């Protein structure tokens, strides 16, 4: 909610969307890791027996593949986020000072 109090002019919406997507992807990856690690325990609990890994609808290798895809997506978002960090601004300033055209 604090972000809603910021003036719109100071808010970089593309970076906010990038950050939100990264949080969503990493939350999903954390849940996937938990499901992989706890699949034996989940099979002994009535409420969790219907989870796809426990019931056999999804195999552990398929889950691991999906986890790798999530982590790869996060890594790409992380690298993209570097353009919005102070390091990116410093790089642009260095290019401007050296006369290198970054366009």
């Amino acid at each position: 909610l604090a972000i809603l109090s910021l003036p719109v002019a100071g808010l970089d919406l593309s970076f906010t969307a990038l950050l939100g997507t990264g949080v969503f992807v990493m939350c999903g990856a954390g849940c996937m890791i938990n499901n992989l690690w706890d699949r034996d325990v989940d099979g002994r609990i009535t409420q969790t027996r219907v989870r796809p890994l426990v019931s056999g609808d999804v195999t552990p290798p398929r889950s691991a593949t999906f986890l790798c895809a999530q982590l790869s997506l996060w890594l790409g978002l992380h690298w993209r986020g570097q353009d919005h960090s102070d390091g990116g601004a410093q790089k642009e300033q260095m290019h401007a000072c050296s006369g290198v055209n970054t366009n």
Side-chain angles (χ1 to χ4, degrees), residues 17-35 66-79:
L18 190 69
L19 182 64
T21 304
V23 167
F24 181 76
V25 169
M26 285 308 292
C27 182
C31 290
M32 181 61 70
I33 289 170
N34 181 56
N35 287 336
F66 185 67
L67 175 62
C68 288
Q70 288 174 304
L71 295 175
S72 296
L73 176 60
W74 175 82
L75 188 59
L77 292 169
H78 178 70
W79 281 337

Side-chain angles (χ1 to χ4, degrees), residues 3 10 14 29 33 38-39 49 53 57 61 68 76 82 88 97 101:
I3 199 166
S14 66
I33 289 170
D38 288 345
R39 67 182 181 269
R49 281 188 191 142
L53 268 171
D57 291 339
C68 288
Q82 296 301 314
C97 291
N101 186 0

Side-chain angles (χ1 to χ4, degrees), residues 32 35-36 39 51-67:
M32 181 61 70
N35 287 336
L36 281 165
R39 67 182 181 269
R51 289 187 177 169
L53 268 171
V54 177
S55 67
D57 291 339
V58 176
T59 63
R62 278 189 78 181
S63 296
T65 301
F66 185 67
L67 175 62

